Amino acid sequence: MIYTEFSFPNDSHIIWSLMIVTYPYISGIMAGAFGISALYFVFGIESLKPVSRFSLLVSFSFLLCATLPLLNHLGHPERALNVVIVPNHRSAIGGFGYIYSLFLVILAMIIWFAYREDMIRAAEAASGLKKRILTILLLWNQNLNDDTRQVDRQMVFILTAIGIPSMAVLSGYVGFLFGSLKSNPWWSTPLMPFVFFVSGIISGLALVLLLYLYLGWYGYLEKSYICLRMLCSLLWFSTAMYIVLEGVELLYFYYESSDAWFVISTLLFTKLKYSFFVLQLGIGLGVAFVLLSAMFTLKLEETSFAKMGAVAAVYLLFEVWMMRWNIVVGGQLFSKSYVGFREFHPQWLEKEGILMAIIFTLLPFLVLFAVTRFLSVRPTTEEAPEQITSSGSQAGENI
Amino acid sequence: MKKRKAPKRSRSRREFLKMAASGMAGMLIVTLIPKSSSGQRIHNIEEMKHVPDWMDHYYAYVVDTTKCIGCGACARACKRENDTPDGYSRTWVERYQITDTGHVYIDSPDGGINSFPPKDVEGNVIKGFFVPKLCNHCRNTPCTQVCPVNASYESPQGVVLVDKKVCIGCGYCVQACPYDTRYIDPRTHTADKCTWCYHRVTKGLAPACVTVCPTKARIFGDLKMKNSQVREIIDNQRVMVLKPELNTEPYCFYIGLDRAVR
């Protein structure tokens, strides 16, 4: 049977647009940044020390803003809290409020313990409103001695260990929202949570790498070649994992050749031809992976290594955004008749338009800037000089 | 000058008990009045007549595709009855034309609300038929499963409904419905769908689309009634459901469903 194009009458509108693209993008960055901190605080990877606490702040800033695009998307945002107050426990979204809140609380507590000493010192040096705010943040407790430092370190270790599964659930969770919908063959795959999780890790790593290079350049963070190399190694590994996952997913669809493959193949080779094959896989993933591979294959100067890493990170950030777009919007470009397709062209000034998406994507940076007014991006104050030597002993001073 | 306090009005114990008793009686009467599905008090005498029977039904819907002539009366009646927004349909009719070249032409202009003008197709039509579509009121409902705030729910009579006062308008149910019978109402920003005209059936009336169908292609009834037509059809005839592979257990059954139907 050869079907001519037909869409169901209610299939003329895209319901989940740029806001639902933006949310997993932000939450993915949050997960990736937290992963870097966890590698240092829990698994003791010393080379990541220069960015360990800064990554916590990046993660926190993005987590704080993650729900904003969702709220903007809702038809009735004033009822949003009902998701937590009267949730449907059978719904995949029903658990969102709890998972999000749990991770937010854990992350806030980690930051509190990780920055306690810094905040005490800052409070002692500050005056006026800043001192008052810091005193409140410290919960009026400014005890500082070896015992309290020990407790702080232990708490950071324990909380970060608890935070890892919470972060993985929160990040992979959005993939589950899509993957569990049997109505949509492009979404309905058990690999979806892993695809979202790994791509989230990539975007978080890429952003922290870029910010690290930027802040290192301006002297806010210690330039450490070992740290940079470790970040790029992790980025390469995550990207390789992602290529395998994406490849297996597509191969599975193709090899199974079910009813779903007809609509998926048509979708990929018509509507998503440019955005999936050219922008996401070709320009985003392909170029970045070649760059990252070249960085570790060729003998590069540290400056060149850093520059190539930065370019690869930009490409990967673009790739992950395109992936979100192709999944979220791509999955709505065909009708549930499976034989009809539609167009989607986002507008600039609509409620869920391009401008709002840009604002919500940039907002976490503003929050990060505000947070760093109170919390230093540098590694632990007292250990900083020591740490610079240890992690930056082989460092290129000109990154 | 100091304001003089008004003397306290003394109440006898008898008066107090009287007031308390009448107050309690009033509260009891209020709580005894049955609630409608939307939570509003019922004040219509006609509605009250059917209150005892509300829960004692289990509805099903049968579409006989061999009888549908594509007149679109059902779609028009639905729009009038439920005031569906332009561009959206709670129910619609699809026209299938299968040609000797192996092509399947499907169309549903405006949901078939203005019937079907002739359409040019390649080759000769060897098979043509109409298929009315509506919410399947599934038992294993993907839409109520995913609703994060229980705004989508299944009534005791087997009707899947949306409480617009609770719906947050996330659109998850719209994505989850494999039959595309849900939409976000642009006026209320909440999910909307076919209710089998719940406001009518709870008064003992048939859904609007069933009432106006000139060929009786749409049949609605109570599975709990032994002599109901829907029960007779489901028990004795070969009926099919849409997308059975998804295991949604629809309670909208089809007679004469062709393999070409999406």
Side-chain angles (χ1 to χ4, degrees):
Chain A
M1 282 186 171
I2 309 154
Y3 282 91
T4 54
E5 206 166 291
F6 168 69
S7 295
F8 290 137
N10 293 330
D11 253 342
S12 53
H13 304 271
I14 296 276
I15 299 167
W16 288 355
S17 59
L18 284 176
M19 292 301 108
I20 308 298
V21 174
T22 308
Y23 165 71
Y25 192 62
I26 292 177
S27 65
I29 290 172
M30 170 278 298
F34 183 80
I36 296 169
S37 304
L39 285 174
Y40 171 73
F41 287 120
V42 177
F43 301 103
I45 298 177
E46 280 292 318
S47 53
L48 292 174
K49 190 168 184 177
V51 287
S52 57
R53 293 205 311 172
F54 174 62
S55 301
L56 282 177
L57 299 185
V58 174
S59 184
F60 185 68
S61 307
F62 277 79
L63 186 64
L64 276 184
C65 301
T67 54
L68 296 177
L70 294 181
L71 283 173
N72 187 46
H73 161 72
L74 291 182
H76 284 276
E78 76 279 7
R79 299 174 188 167
L81 277 181
N82 287 355
V83 178
V84 196
I85 299 164
V86 282
N88 172 13
H89 297 294
R90 294 194 308 145
S91 168
I93 296 184
F96 172 77
Y98 300 112
I99 297 167
Y100 176 85
S101 309
L102 175 71
F103 187 62
L104 184 63
V105 170
I106 290 172
L107 188 54
M109 285 168 73
I110 295 170
I111 290 173
W112 193 82
F113 283 110
Y115 275 95
R116 198 172 158 275
E117 186 171 344
D118 285 44
M119 287 196 289
I120 290 170
R121 292 188 193 286
E124 282 166 0
S127 60
L129 183 65
K130 189 174 179 180
K131 187 181 179 76
R132 202 171 295 172
I133 291 171
L134 283 166
T135 310
I136 294 167
L137 285 175
L138 282 161
L139 305 176
W140 296 272
N141 180 343
Q142 298 190 21
N143 290 339
L144 190 64
N145 53 49
D146 288 344
D147 290 341
T148 60
R149 284 194 189 97
Q150 177 70 12
V151 171
D152 289 346
R153 272 195 293 272
Q154 283 173 348
M155 287 306 294
V156 168
F157 174 83
I158 294 166
L159 288 168
T160 311
I162 299 169
I164 294 168
S166 313
M167 168 273 283
V169 169
L170 184 58
S171 173
Y173 180 71
V174 67
F176 182 81
L177 296 185
F178 290 99
S180 59
L181 288 182
K182 58 187 171 189
S183 58
N184 191 317
W186 181 229
W187 292 343
S188 181
T189 157
L191 286 178
M192 199 58 89
F194 302 101
V195 170
F196 268 84
F197 175 68
V198 175
S199 58
I201 293 290
I202 291 173
S203 58
L205 280 167
L207 186 69
V208 169
L209 174 65
L210 277 178
L211 290 173
Y212 174 56
L213 289 171
Y214 176 79
L215 293 171
W217 184 274
Y218 285 99
Y220 293 108
L221 281 174
E222 176 56 33
K223 296 176 189 174
S224 163
Y225 181 60
I226 296 176
C227 179
L228 176 66
R229 211 176 157 82
M230 176 55 81
L231 285 173
C232 290
S233 308
L234 291 168
L235 207 50
W236 185 91
F237 180 73
S238 309
T239 309
M241 286 277 290
Y242 177 73
I243 290 169
V244 171
L245 280 171
E246 194 78 71
V248 166
E249 191 182 64
L250 283 178
L251 188 69
Y252 193 84
F253 279 134
Y254 166 72
Y255 198 75
E256 201 180 39
S257 247
S258 66
D259 195 27
W261 177 244
F262 171 77
V263 69
I264 290 170
S265 59
T266 315
L267 178 75
L268 287 177
F269 293 109
T270 57
K271 300 289 172 189
L272 297 185
K273 186 171 63 180
Y274 190 65
S275 65
F276 183 72
F277 289 111
V278 179
L279 296 180
Q280 185 190 330
L281 295 189
I283 295 176
L285 197 61
V287 172
F289 192 67
V290 168
L291 277 174
L292 285 169
S293 302
M295 284 162 64
F296 290 99
T297 319
L298 305 172
K299 284 186 177 177
L300 293 172
E301 289 288 316
E302 286 161 4
T303 316
S304 310
F305 189 89
K307 281 178 183 169
M308 278 179 79
V311 175
V314 171
Y315 273 95
L316 282 173
L317 281 170
F318 173 71
E319 186 274 330
V320 174
W321 195 90
M322 284 312 303
M323 174 262 178
R324 302 318 197 214
W325 168 274
N326 287 324
I327 295 278
V328 177
V329 175
Q332 297 170 84
L333 291 181
F334 60 87
S335 166
K336 285 168 188 163
S337 67
Y338 300 169
V339 292
F341 296 88
R342 55 191 156 176
E343 297 287 335
F344 176 61
H345 302 291
Q347 303 299 306
W348 273 93
L349 297 175
E350 59 193 5
K351 184 191 163 209
E352 299 185 49
I354 300 167
L355 184 65
M356 290 308 288
I358 292 171
I359 289 171
F360 286 128
T361 310
L362 294 181
L363 202 58
F365 293 97
L366 203 65
V367 175
L368 181 64
F369 179 78
V371 169
T372 52
R373 296 307 92 198
F374 291 94
L375 305 174
S376 165
V377 297
R378 293 174 190 279
T380 322
T381 320
E382 277 196 336
E383 296 174 12
E386 208 177 295
Q387 162 272 317
I388 289 162
T389 327
S390 63
S391 60
S393 52
Q394 301 166 39
E397 296 302 316
N398 51 351
I399 292 168
Chain B
M1 203 175 145
K2 272 191 177 178
K3 210 175 178 181
R4 282 181 80 179
K5 277 187 180 175
K8 274 188 180 177
R9 196 184 154 210
S10 60
R11 267 196 201 103
S12 69
R13 187 180 295 170
R14 185 185 296 273
E15 275 178 337
F16 174 77
L17 287 173
K18 261 185 187 174
M19 279 172 64
S22 55
M24 282 177 73
M27 280 171 70
L28 192 67
I29 288 165
V30 169
T31 52
L32 282 176
I33 296 172
K35 280 184 171 184
S36 72
S37 61
S38 62
Q40 289 171 333
R41 302 278 174 206
I42 291 164
H43 46 77
N44 189 319
I45 299 299
E46 283 302 305
E47 288 177 12
M48 287 292 282
K49 284 181 187 172
H50 301 278
V51 169
D53 296 323
W54 271 22
M55 300 298 170
D56 201 24
H57 300 287
Y58 207 79
Y59 297 116
Y61 200 105
V62 173
V63 177
D64 189 344
T65 60
T66 61
K67 287 183 180 172
C68 181
I69 55 171
C71 63
C74 50
R76 286 193 295 278
C78 176
K79 190 165 181 63
R80 269 199 308 273
E81 183 71 29
N82 298 296
D83 188 29
T84 50
D86 291 337
Y88 299 91
S89 307
R90 285 188 176 198
T91 185
W92 67 93
V93 182
E94 294 166 8
R95 172 170 62 180
Y96 286 75
Q97 296 181 90
I98 302 165
T99 65
D100 53 5
T101 57
H103 285 84
V104 180
Y105 291 87
I106 317 169
D107 66 336
S108 181
D110 296 325
I113 205 161
N114 299 312
S115 194
F116 292 83
K119 186 184 180 183
D120 290 332
V121 295
E122 196 183 313
N124 300 311
V125 177
I126 54 172
K127 190 157 56 173
F129 51 87
F130 296 97
V131 180
K133 295 272 184 80
L134 65 159
C135 173
N136 288 256
H137 295 270
C138 312
R139 287 303 80 89
N140 189 18
T141 48
C143 55
T144 61
Q145 183 190 21
V146 300
C147 177
V149 291
N150 290 304
S152 282
Y153 63 99
E154 192 186 316
S155 82
Q157 304 96 326
V159 185
V160 177
L161 300 168
V162 178
D163 190 338
K164 293 192 173 192
K165 290 175 183 168
V166 178
C167 178
I168 58 173
C170 65
Y172 202 17
C173 59
V174 181
Q175 302 287 8
C177 175
Y179 308 104
D180 204 37
T181 58
R182 284 175 171 251
Y183 54 86
I184 297 290
D185 189 326
R187 299 164 303 187
T188 60
H189 307 293
T190 55
D192 195 29
K193 64 180 283 295
C194 159
T195 61
W196 277 346
C197 285
Y198 193 70
H199 58 288
R200 289 173 60 88
V201 298
T202 47
K203 292 175 188 168
L205 301 169
C209 54
V210 173
T211 309
V212 298
C213 181
T215 60
K216 306 294 176 201
R218 289 172 178 257
I219 306 148
F220 178 80
D222 185 2
L223 288 177
K224 282 190 175 177
M225 282 173 65
K226 283 183 181 172
N227 58 348
S228 75
Q229 198 184 352
V230 285
R231 185 162 168 181
E232 191 275 326
I233 291 169
I234 294 163
D235 285 350
N236 301 309
Q237 294 192 41
R238 293 172 194 181
V239 290
M240 188 61 180
V241 294
L242 293 170
K243 300 188 181 183
E245 72 280 3
L246 296 179
N247 191 35
T248 55
E249 295 182 44
Y251 264 54
C252 179
F253 299 90
Y254 281 82
I255 298 171
L257 201 61
D258 191 84
R259 67 190 178 112
V261 174
R262 307 306 298 174

